[in-house]
Amino acid sequence: MAKIGARPFYLISILVVIAAVVFYQLDSFDPAPYPDHEPRPPLFVPSLNTHMLRGSEKIGNGQLSAPEDIAYDPRTGVICTGCQDGWVNRVIIPKRSGNGSVVVEKWVNTGGRPLGIAHGLHSEVIVADADKGLLNISRDGTIQLLTDEADGIKFKLTDAVDTAPDGTLYFTDASFKHNFKNHIFDFLEGRPHGRFLSYDPSTKRTQVLVKDLYFPNGVAVSADKSFAIFCETPMRRCKRYYIKGPRKGNVDIFVKNLPGLPDNIRYDGEGQYWIAITTEADSWELIQGFTFIRKVIAMMVKYTGRPSTEKNGGVIAVDLDGKPTARYCDPDLSFITSGIKIGEHLYCGSLVFPYILRLNLSRYPATPAS
């Protein structure tokens, strides 16, 4: 085999570096610095289960294609979830273990990508469809588009939704620039393209409540119905928008410095909110702080494919004041997008798994952290 001399090798290396620099400069992707970014240690969680996969079950395995969010109707005992094939599925789970098998029913196909799901006041199902907008699905399966724009700007990534007692729907458009397929570029670009909105079914009015948000995600109306919580995923925090009372219209922080990137948030009716964590914060902390790294990754995504760094996904529970109570995670778990406690079980949705993950919290509890 012929050997390359030191001088030719040096020249080739210089040319490769020059080509890479030119390629970097010519690429049009232009990330911005995130505001007030500095490494922030995750908040302390008093109880942990760091190997939740050891005791978990796969519900509807092979019948659910990336069930992103989970909505439970205690009146019927039915779970609704939206999948990447466009189907909104009904998952019927036996009330008693061993008494029959799980039944998965394909109910309605939206023709888009259903993400957030909530139950309406009259047995309808509300869907935040990333491609279509905010949808109402009646009991007989009829789909109605409620809204797909606000202030003259079309939604690009309708993401999460919850229903208030008066029927008002609170929801997010995670990005008016990047769609679901390309949502990674919203994170890498570092600009606030997201909005938190409301829709009033009685007046059919869509209102922007908070704008200039960094990929606003999950939504949950509070236990006392005085505010709505939404997550800002790349900022590792959840904000609180007051919907009534003396602070109506104000926004503050509900919980910050989460141990990873939050997605959907659910209230369990028992004093705890469950926040899905798609991946731990370590890799993102490094990426977030440097625009040149984010540009390099964006170029890799465009030309060679997305690098995989996600790990330690799961769910964190916080109390009514946003103080953490427990965390369930696993080194081999990623892209967990929703978590909801039903009875003694934790049910988790995902952007990648063909099933809903279920963990018995009584048998596999979080234990005091050292």
Side-chain angles (χ1 to χ4, degrees):
M1 180 181 294
K3 294 183 179 179
I4 299 176
R7 185 177 180 84
F9 181 80
Y10 176 76
L11 291 175
I12 291 172
S13 300
I14 292 294
L15 290 174
V16 169
V17 170
I18 292 173
V21 171
V22 171
F23 189 56
Y24 178 92
Q25 294 293 335
L26 290 177
D27 192 273
S28 61
F29 189 77
D30 182 29
Y34 273 94
D36 303 321
H37 177 268
E38 58 183 45
R40 304 181 304 275
L43 50 76
F44 174 74
V45 184
S47 297
L48 299 172
N49 177 341
T50 57
H51 294 281
M52 64 177 289
L53 283 177
R54 291 179 182 174
S56 61
E57 308 169 73
K58 299 174 181 179
I59 302 299
N61 192 11
Q63 302 177 73
L64 299 168
S65 178
E68 200 265 357
D69 194 14
I70 296 170
Y72 174 67
D73 186 352
R75 295 171 295 182
T76 63
V78 174
I79 288 174
C80 281
T81 184
C83 295
Q84 65 182 0
D85 54 10
W87 282 100
V88 175
N89 295 275
R90 287 172 167 164
V91 182
I92 304 168
I93 299 173
K95 293 184 178 180
R96 295 183 179 180
S97 179
N99 185 19
S101 58
V102 173
V103 176
V104 177
E105 297 178 347
K106 290 186 179 298
W107 181 39
V108 175
N109 196 303
T110 68
R113 203 326 176 179
L115 294 176
I117 289 187
H119 291 286
L121 299 184
H122 309 289
S123 299
E124 71 272 33
V125 172
I126 310 299
V127 175
D129 189 296
D131 302 327
K132 301 293 184 177
L134 195 65
L135 308 178
N136 181 99
I137 306 179
S138 64
R139 283 179 289 181
D140 65 2
T142 301
I143 300 176
Q144 175 192 3
L145 173 64
L146 299 178
T147 179
D148 63 356
E149 67 175 77
D151 292 348
I153 301 176
K154 285 275 190 179
F155 305 154
K156 199 79 170 184
L157 207 171
T158 323
D159 199 333
V161 62
D162 200 10
T163 309
D166 64 355
T168 301
L169 305 176
Y170 293 93
F171 67 104
T172 58
D173 178 28
S175 176
F176 59 74
K177 181 176 181 180
H178 300 283
N179 61 18
F180 178 74
K181 182 179 179 181
N182 296 315
H183 74 275
I184 183 62
F185 293 111
D186 202 89
F187 288 68
L188 298 173
E189 186 176 339
R191 289 185 171 86
H193 300 128
R195 298 179 289 175
F196 176 64
L197 310 98
S198 66
Y199 176 81
D200 186 339
S202 62
T203 63
K204 303 187 186 315
R205 181 189 180 197
T206 305
Q207 184 178 3
V208 178
L209 303 176
V210 189
K211 60 181 180 179
D212 298 329
L213 297 170
Y214 292 90
F215 209 87
N217 217 314
V219 177
V221 175
S222 67
D224 65 1
K225 317 304 179 188
S226 67
F227 57 87
I229 305 164
F230 61 88
C231 300
E232 269 189 299
T233 299
M235 306 305 288
R236 292 170 46 209
R237 67 190 179 196
C238 298
K239 286 184 172 179
R240 174 169 43 195
Y241 178 87
Y242 292 87
I243 59 181
K244 67 178 183 179
R247 301 194 64 187
K248 182 178 180 180
N250 289 337
V251 182
D252 63 15
I253 302 295
F254 178 67
V255 59
K256 62 181 179 179
N257 297 340
L258 289 165
L261 305 188
D263 203 296
N264 284 298
I265 177 170
R266 290 281 179 184
Y267 180 60
D268 64 7
E270 300 175 355
Q272 293 191 110
Y273 299 96
W274 297 78
I275 306 170
I277 301 295
T278 60
T279 180
E280 70 177 13
D282 291 359
S283 297
W284 174 243
E285 277 290 314
L286 173 63
I287 294 168
Q288 186 181 23
F290 297 94
T291 55
F292 78 90
I293 294 179
R294 285 191 269 124
K295 180 167 181 173
V296 169
I297 292 175
M299 294 169 65
M300 291 174 63
V301 172
K302 283 194 286 186
Y303 303 116
T304 63
R306 177 177 175 175
S308 179
T309 59
E310 291 81 9
K311 61 179 181 178
N312 265 328
V315 184
I316 181 171
V318 301
D319 66 17
L320 298 180
D321 297 317
K323 296 178 180 178
T325 59
R327 183 185 177 193
Y328 295 83
C329 59
D330 195 284
D332 295 324
L333 200 55
S334 60
F335 294 109
I336 293 298
T337 48
S338 58
I340 180 171
K341 182 177 181 290
I342 305 172
E344 63 179 0
H345 289 92
L346 174 64
Y347 291 79
C348 296
S350 167
L351 273 183
V352 294
F353 296 143
Y355 50 79
I356 291 172
L357 200 67
R358 181 170 74 175
L359 181 71
N360 188 311
L361 299 179
S362 299
R363 296 179 184 173
Y364 305 97
T367 56
S370 57

